[in-house]
mmCIF file of all heavy atoms in Angstrom:
data_model
loop_
_atom_site.group_PDB
_atom_site.id
_atom_site.type_symbol
_atom_site.label_atom_id
_atom_site.label_comp_id
_atom_site.label_asym_id
_atom_site.label_seq_id
_atom_site.Cartn_x
_atom_site.Cartn_y
_atom_site.Cartn_z
ATOM 1 N N PRO A 241 126.829 107.455 81.975
ATOM 2 C CA PRO A 241 126.592 106.070 81.562
ATOM 3 C C PRO A 241 125.013 105.755 81.477
ATOM 4 O O PRO A 241 124.720 104.538 81.212
ATOM 5 C CB PRO A 241 127.232 105.237 82.657
ATOM 6 C CG PRO A 241 127.143 106.147 83.933
ATOM 7 C CD PRO A 241 127.261 107.571 83.382
ATOM 8 N N ASP A 387 107.235 113.011 110.124
ATOM 9 C CA ASP A 387 108.113 112.014 110.908
ATOM 10 C C ASP A 387 108.809 111.063 109.816
ATOM 11 O O ASP A 387 108.283 110.854 108.857
ATOM 12 C CB ASP A 387 107.467 111.374 111.911
ATOM 13 C CG ASP A 387 106.332 110.500 111.423
ATOM 14 O OD1 ASP A 387 105.145 110.979 111.180
ATOM 15 O OD2 ASP A 387 106.610 109.317 111.161
ATOM 16 N N ILE A 412 90.710 96.229 83.652
ATOM 17 C CA ILE A 412 89.534 96.753 82.900
ATOM 18 C C ILE A 412 89.665 96.430 81.352
ATOM 19 O O ILE A 412 88.865 96.196 80.708
ATOM 20 C CB ILE A 412 89.501 98.208 83.109
ATOM 21 C CG1 ILE A 412 88.949 98.484 84.603
ATOM 22 C CG2 ILE A 412 88.596 98.959 82.104
ATOM 23 C CD1 ILE A 412 87.452 98.103 84.757
ATOM 24 N N ALA A 413 90.979 96.463 80.855
ATOM 25 C CA ALA A 413 91.172 96.047 79.518
ATOM 26 C C ALA A 413 90.747 94.683 79.152
ATOM 27 O O ALA A 413 90.047 94.439 78.115
ATOM 28 C CB ALA A 413 92.693 96.332 79.042
ATOM 29 N N ALA A 418 86.264 91.243 76.918
ATOM 30 C CA ALA A 418 85.284 90.338 77.182
ATOM 31 C C ALA A 418 83.720 90.892 76.751
ATOM 32 O O ALA A 418 82.936 90.145 76.325
ATOM 33 C CB ALA A 418 85.282 89.840 78.520
ATOM 34 N N VAL A 419 83.691 92.302 76.978
ATOM 35 C CA VAL A 419 82.331 92.851 76.828
ATOM 36 C C VAL A 419 82.213 93.523 75.449
ATOM 37 O O VAL A 419 81.187 94.092 75.096
ATOM 38 C CB VAL A 419 81.866 93.558 77.885
ATOM 39 C CG1 VAL A 419 81.812 92.909 79.284
ATOM 40 C CG2 VAL A 419 82.806 94.899 78.071
ATOM 41 N N LEU A 441 96.862 105.515 83.667
ATOM 42 C CA LEU A 441 95.764 104.537 83.268
ATOM 43 C C LEU A 441 95.967 104.106 81.818
ATOM 44 O O LEU A 441 94.928 103.839 81.199
ATOM 45 C CB LEU A 441 94.392 105.285 83.440
ATOM 46 C CG LEU A 441 93.835 105.295 84.850
ATOM 47 C CD1 LEU A 441 92.562 106.085 84.832
ATOM 48 C CD2 LEU A 441 93.665 103.986 85.432
ATOM 49 N N PRO A 445 101.795 95.963 78.800
ATOM 50 C CA PRO A 445 102.236 94.544 78.960
ATOM 51 C C PRO A 445 102.374 94.251 80.588
ATOM 52 O O PRO A 445 102.858 93.263 80.813
ATOM 53 C CB PRO A 445 103.610 94.632 78.385
ATOM 54 C CG PRO A 445 104.055 95.966 78.444
ATOM 55 C CD PRO A 445 102.897 96.800 78.289
ATOM 56 N N LEU A 459 106.527 96.438 100.226
ATOM 57 C CA LEU A 459 105.505 97.021 101.027
ATOM 58 C C LEU A 459 104.513 95.949 101.658
ATOM 59 O O LEU A 459 104.161 95.872 102.816
ATOM 60 C CB LEU A 459 104.632 97.991 100.277
ATOM 61 C CG LEU A 459 103.475 98.765 100.938
ATOM 62 C CD1 LEU A 459 104.029 99.415 102.342
ATOM 63 C CD2 LEU A 459 102.742 99.774 100.079
ATOM 64 N N GLY A 467 102.166 93.089 110.871
ATOM 65 C CA GLY A 467 100.859 92.449 111.403
ATOM 66 C C GLY A 467 99.644 92.764 110.427
ATOM 67 O O GLY A 467 98.542 92.401 110.720
ATOM 68 N N ASP A 469 97.834 92.031 106.617
ATOM 69 C CA ASP A 469 97.913 91.310 105.480
ATOM 70 C C ASP A 469 97.405 92.135 104.296
ATOM 71 O O ASP A 469 96.211 92.232 104.108
ATOM 72 C CB ASP A 469 97.037 89.958 105.612
ATOM 73 C CG ASP A 469 97.271 88.999 104.432
ATOM 74 O OD1 ASP A 469 98.090 89.397 103.643
ATOM 75 O OD2 ASP A 469 96.712 87.874 104.383
ATOM 76 N N ASP A 471 96.171 92.341 101.277
ATOM 77 C CA ASP A 471 95.618 91.449 100.205
ATOM 78 C C ASP A 471 95.483 92.355 98.933
ATOM 79 O O ASP A 471 95.666 91.879 97.757
ATOM 80 C CB ASP A 471 94.150 91.044 100.590
ATOM 81 C CG ASP A 471 94.262 89.716 101.373
ATOM 82 O OD1 ASP A 471 95.359 89.037 101.138
ATOM 83 O OD2 ASP A 471 93.346 89.227 102.090
ATOM 84 N N THR A 510 113.266 97.604 76.711
ATOM 85 C CA THR A 510 113.473 98.224 78.032
ATOM 86 C C THR A 510 112.089 98.133 78.708
ATOM 87 O O THR A 510 111.124 97.703 78.147
ATOM 88 C CB THR A 510 113.815 99.667 77.893
ATOM 89 O OG1 THR A 510 112.846 100.284 77.076
ATOM 90 C CG2 THR A 510 115.256 99.838 77.364
ATOM 91 N N ASP A 520 114.014 94.382 85.410
ATOM 92 C CA ASP A 520 112.662 93.930 85.439
ATOM 93 C C ASP A 520 111.701 94.549 84.273
ATOM 94 O O ASP A 520 110.798 95.054 84.554
ATOM 95 C CB ASP A 520 112.084 94.493 86.824
ATOM 96 C CG ASP A 520 112.411 93.540 87.909
ATOM 97 O OD1 ASP A 520 111.989 92.456 87.850
ATOM 98 O OD2 ASP A 520 113.083 93.968 88.970
ATOM 99 N N GLU A 557 117.970 87.869 69.743
ATOM 100 C CA GLU A 557 118.765 88.524 68.726
ATOM 101 C C GLU A 557 118.468 89.908 68.708
ATOM 102 O O GLU A 557 117.314 90.271 68.337
ATOM 103 C CB GLU A 557 118.679 87.894 67.419
ATOM 104 C CG GLU A 557 119.536 88.430 66.346
ATOM 105 C CD GLU A 557 119.242 87.935 64.846
ATOM 106 O OE1 GLU A 557 118.340 86.862 64.916
ATOM 107 O OE2 GLU A 557 119.671 88.458 63.962
ATOM 108 N N THR A 592 108.292 92.703 54.715
ATOM 109 C CA THR A 592 109.385 91.856 55.335
ATOM 110 C C THR A 592 108.838 90.622 56.183
ATOM 111 O O THR A 592 109.634 89.748 56.400
ATOM 112 C CB THR A 592 110.291 92.676 56.251
ATOM 113 O OG1 THR A 592 109.479 93.276 57.372
ATOM 114 C CG2 THR A 592 110.915 93.942 55.583
ATOM 115 N N MET A 593 107.626 90.875 56.626
ATOM 116 C CA MET A 593 107.045 89.870 57.617
ATOM 117 C C MET A 593 106.661 88.580 56.820
ATOM 118 O O MET A 593 106.344 88.701 55.608
ATOM 119 C CB MET A 593 106.059 90.302 58.469
ATOM 120 C CG MET A 593 106.522 91.411 59.373
ATOM 121 S SD MET A 593 105.142 92.046 60.498
ATOM 122 C CE MET A 593 104.789 90.585 61.507
ATOM 123 N N ALA A 594 106.689 87.396 57.377
ATOM 124 C CA ALA A 594 105.846 86.221 56.839
ATOM 125 C C ALA A 594 104.500 86.414 56.665
ATOM 126 O O ALA A 594 103.870 85.968 55.632
ATOM 127 C CB ALA A 594 106.232 85.049 57.709
ATOM 128 N N ALA A 601 101.077 95.833 72.306
ATOM 129 C CA ALA A 601 100.876 95.706 73.858
ATOM 130 C C ALA A 601 100.802 97.033 74.458
ATOM 131 O O ALA A 601 100.681 97.233 75.677
ATOM 132 C CB ALA A 601 101.862 94.778 74.422
ATOM 133 N N ARG A 607 95.123 101.646 64.634
ATOM 134 C CA ARG A 607 94.680 100.331 64.241
ATOM 135 C C ARG A 607 94.194 100.441 62.876
ATOM 136 O O ARG A 607 94.446 99.578 61.915
ATOM 137 C CB ARG A 607 93.552 99.895 65.147
ATOM 138 C CG ARG A 607 92.771 98.683 64.715
ATOM 139 C CD ARG A 607 91.847 98.261 65.684
ATOM 140 N NE ARG A 607 90.885 99.262 66.155
ATOM 141 C CZ ARG A 607 89.994 99.031 67.096
ATOM 142 N NH1 ARG A 607 89.874 97.895 67.757
ATOM 143 N NH2 ARG A 607 89.236 100.067 67.532
#
Side-chain angles (χ1 to χ4, degrees):
D387 62 274
I412 284 291
V419 301
L441 280 180
L459 183 52
D469 190 355
D471 272 340
T510 55
D520 272 306
E557 183 188 349
T592 60
M593 293 182 73
R607 172 174 52 186

